[in-house]
């Protein structure tokens, strides 16, 4: 459920007419619904109410906008970060350092050092050497870094190859079969306080079975670790729950996921940590765009919109589907291709799709664009960096400015020797 609905024939986000936003902010622009963000945050928390003491850390790579982070922080969410930049954002949004988890396969020494200085709550280690380096850094500061070991359970999550992370050929985590010995060595590091294990097997998961299989492997692993005398107090089960993008999509409900988690983990006697990303924000956002031209095509016309692959990369990257709807639909329909202005054939949002009939100047939205949308935007083709708006009831605010090409190239320099 989201809050992008028609009022008197015109799409609104909560109480704000999307035509007003287009007029005042321009297009393309991302629009987020606070009510939807809060609702998703609460539904997920509620779904896990049978799973004991849980920590919730929003995977902020899905949508790192400071205002979005602020809403989720108010809902009691910490942050799962994968770079120093994301850590800085989480702190700037007011998320306490103790509620920040640092994930990621390529944390640099500089990033580890900054995270230690910030006092973040948990490091998810991806390889043994990382643990040694972090342990030495912490020891030199007279600290013990709280850490878990991310294991790779070798399950096929059944999702798109580019967002599958839990197979042994993927770059993430350590081989679960080698985790016990490695954990033993890490637990001996003076500068580390090993708390348990972490997994994250992929994104946009539509099947609970691989998640359950992975969790069962983790359950066996913690029993084994305890046999060796290790103190296991925390297990991080990652994120990955899928969301519906189109009619007929039927991902597992948060409630079914929560029930499975409660059943599988009931004897674990640990604090559980979750890192939802897409689930919280995907359907809380839409990309508002204007039709530039309707261009006749060989089979179907091309609806050329002013949003492009640099603003919303998912269709070009993952062949992803985003529903397309006119802001003021007439009721008539057409079959069309939808594409942006960027000079790549990959800058295509849909082919041969039945959509609301639109013509030049009409406004439309791509739905479900609140996760892995603005965060992946670039300025390719020297287009502006897309702005973001947050709606709350009948008020809205621009929460990220449109950054113009002039501002971006002001940071570039032509060296002296070329100026003659
Ligand atoms: C991306 C990521 C997540 C969030 O994934 P979603 O599919 O958006 O829920 C969680 N944890 C880690 C380690 C990630 O890399």
């Amino acid at each position: 459920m989201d809050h992008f609905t028609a009022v008197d024939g015109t799409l609104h986000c909560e109480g704000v007419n999307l035509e007003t936003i287009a007029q005042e902010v321009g297009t393309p622009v991302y629009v987020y619904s606070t009510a939807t963000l809060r609702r998703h945050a609460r539904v997920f928390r509620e779904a896990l109410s049978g799973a004991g003491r849980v920590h919730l850390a929003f995977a902020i790579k899905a949508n790192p906008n400071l205002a979005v982070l602020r809403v989720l922080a108010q809902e009691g969410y910490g942050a799962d970060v994968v770079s120093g930049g994301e850590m800085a954002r989480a702190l700037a949004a007011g998320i306490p350092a103790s509620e920040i988890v640092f994930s990621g396969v390529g944390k640099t020494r500089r990033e580890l050092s900054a995270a230690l200085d910030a006092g973040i709550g948990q490091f998810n280690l991806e390889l043994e050497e990382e643990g040694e380096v972090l342990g030495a850094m912490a020891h030199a500061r007279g600290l013990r870094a709280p850490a878990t070991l991310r294991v790779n359970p070798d399950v096929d999550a059944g999702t798109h190859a580019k967002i599958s992370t839990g197979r042994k050929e993927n770059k993430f985590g350590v081989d679960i079969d080698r985790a016990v010995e490695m954990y033993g060595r890490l637990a001996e590091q003076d500068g580390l306080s090993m708390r348990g294990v972490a997994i994250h097997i992929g994104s946009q998961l539509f099947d609970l079975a691989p998640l359950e299989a992975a969790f069962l492997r983790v359950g066996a692993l913690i029993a084994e670790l305890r046999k060796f005398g290790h103190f296991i107090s925390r297990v991080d089960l990652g994120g990955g729950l899928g969301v519906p993008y189109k009619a007929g999509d039927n991902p597992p409900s948060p409630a079914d996921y929560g029930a499975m988690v409660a059943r599988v983990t009931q004897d674990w006697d640990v604090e559980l940590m979750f890192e939802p990303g897409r689930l919280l924000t995907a359907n809380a956002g839409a990309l508002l765009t204007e039709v530039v031209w309707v261009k006749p095509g060989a089979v179907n016309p091309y609806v050329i919109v002013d949003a492009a692959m640099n603003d919303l990369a998912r269709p070009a990257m993952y062949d992803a589907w985003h529903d397309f709807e006119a802001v003021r639909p007439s009721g008539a329909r057409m079959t069309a291709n939808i594409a942006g202005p960027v000079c790549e054939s990959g800058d295509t949002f849909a082919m041969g799709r039945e959509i609301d009939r639109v013509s030049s100047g009409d406004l439309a939205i791509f739905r479900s664009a609140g996760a892995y949308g603005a965060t992946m935007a670039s300025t390719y083709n020297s287009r502006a960096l897309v702005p973001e708006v947050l709606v709350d009831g009948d008020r809205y605010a621009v929460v990220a400015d449109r950054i113009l090409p002039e501002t971006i190239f002001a940071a570039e320099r032509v060296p002296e020797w070329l100026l003659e």
Side-chain angles (χ1 to χ4, degrees):
M1 196 206 130
D2 62 44
H3 290 78
F4 292 88
T5 47
V7 179
D8 296 334
T10 307
L11 272 179
H12 285 52
C13 175
E14 301 188 28
V16 178
N17 190 330
L18 292 180
E19 289 178 338
T20 308
I21 294 177
Q23 231 162 51
E24 294 180 0
V25 186
T27 54
V29 57
Y30 278 92
V31 181
Y32 307 129
S33 155
T34 305
T36 312
L37 289 169
R38 291 197 192 283
R39 186 183 126 75
H40 291 178
R42 290 171 193 177
V43 164
F44 190 64
R45 177 185 297 287
E46 182 57 31
L48 291 164
S49 58
R53 184 158 150 67
V54 303
H55 285 263
L56 301 172
F58 172 53
I60 77 175
K61 73 176 189 286
N63 189 328
N65 182 278
L66 291 180
V68 169
L69 297 186
R70 186 87 194 139
V71 170
L72 294 174
Q74 287 176 354
E75 295 297 327
Y77 280 71
D80 174 60
V81 305
V82 294
S83 71
E86 286 193 350
M87 182 184 79
R89 277 179 177 277
L91 292 169
I95 295 172
S98 60
E99 295 299 316
I100 297 176
V101 186
F102 203 156
S103 298
V105 71
K107 305 178 207 71
T108 64
R109 286 154 180 82
R110 188 192 296 263
E111 286 173 326
L112 290 171
S113 172
L116 271 177
D117 290 338
I120 68 146
Q122 181 176 310
F123 292 84
N124 289 352
L125 302 175
E126 289 268 357
L127 71 163
E128 188 169 354
E129 190 182 358
E130 183 190 17
E132 291 164 4
V133 168
L134 176 66
M137 281 178 176
H139 189 59
R141 289 167 165 82
L143 301 172
R144 289 170 82 85
T148 70
L149 181 61
R150 177 168 176 183
V151 297
N152 184 319
D154 193 26
V155 297
D156 184 351
T159 187
H160 192 286
K162 287 183 186 167
I163 49 178
S164 178
T165 56
R167 307 209 54 186
K168 68 174 183 298
E169 60 269 32
N170 296 137
K171 67 180 174 179
F172 298 102
V174 304
D175 182 351
I176 195 164
D177 296 323
R178 297 186 47 233
V180 171
E181 36 168 323
M182 206 177 284
Y183 196 97
R185 291 193 293 271
L186 290 169
E188 280 169 16
Q189 297 270 326
D190 285 332
L192 293 183
S193 169
M194 293 301 294
R195 303 277 168 85
V197 295
I199 57 166
H200 171 70
I201 64 168
S203 194
Q204 187 57 0
L205 308 183
F206 262 51
D207 186 0
L208 291 179
L211 281 165
E212 179 165 352
F215 296 172
L216 288 168
R217 296 207 71 186
V218 167
L221 173 63
I222 60 180
E224 187 74 5
L225 288 166
R226 282 177 172 149
K227 249 196 267 168
F228 283 87
H230 297 300
F231 174 70
I232 306 295
S233 61
R234 187 175 272 204
V235 174
D236 183 339
L237 294 177
L241 209 51
V243 304
Y245 281 95
K246 63 175 166 191
D249 275 359
N250 197 14
S253 70
D256 287 349
Y257 172 82
M260 182 275 282
V261 167
R263 175 165 51 75
V264 172
T265 66
Q266 60 181 340
D267 301 325
W268 286 11
D269 189 24
V270 293
E271 283 177 12
L272 294 176
M273 154 92 70
F274 297 89
E275 302 169 346
R278 187 190 311 271
L279 184 72
L280 302 186
T281 63
N283 283 302
L287 176 58
L288 178 58
T289 187
E290 185 178 309
V291 176
V292 186
W293 308 108
V294 178
K295 175 183 174 177
V299 183
N300 295 309
Y302 270 95
V303 170
I304 312 286
V305 294
D306 68 358
M309 64 188 285
N310 69 294
D311 306 305
L312 177 61
R314 296 186 67 258
M317 268 182 86
Y318 316 119
D319 299 315
W321 176 290
H322 289 271
D323 276 346
F324 180 84
E325 278 175 40
V327 167
R328 194 195 281 267
S330 66
R333 308 282 286 170
M334 70 196 290
T335 300
N337 310 323
I338 309 166
V342 161
C343 298
E344 302 255 0
S345 293
D347 184 23
T348 300
F349 294 104
M351 290 297 285
R353 177 125 31 119
E354 194 201 312
I355 57 171
D356 292 326
R357 177 175 294 283
V358 288
S359 43
S360 173
D362 286 353
L363 294 170
I365 60 168
F366 291 101
R367 283 186 177 268
S368 313
Y372 306 106
T375 180
M376 285 188 179
S378 76
T379 60
Y380 184 42
N381 275 210
S382 288
R383 291 166 52 82
L385 197 61
V386 62
E388 298 164 272
V389 159
L390 182 71
V391 172
D392 183 17
D394 52 15
R395 60 187 170 175
Y396 78 89
V398 176
V399 293
D401 289 340
R402 187 184 312 281
I403 301 181
L404 298 175
E406 289 77 1
T407 308
I408 291 171
F409 70 66
E412 297 171 21
R413 304 277 175 274
V414 178
E416 228 172 83
W417 71 80
L418 290 174
L419 290 175
E420 284 149 24

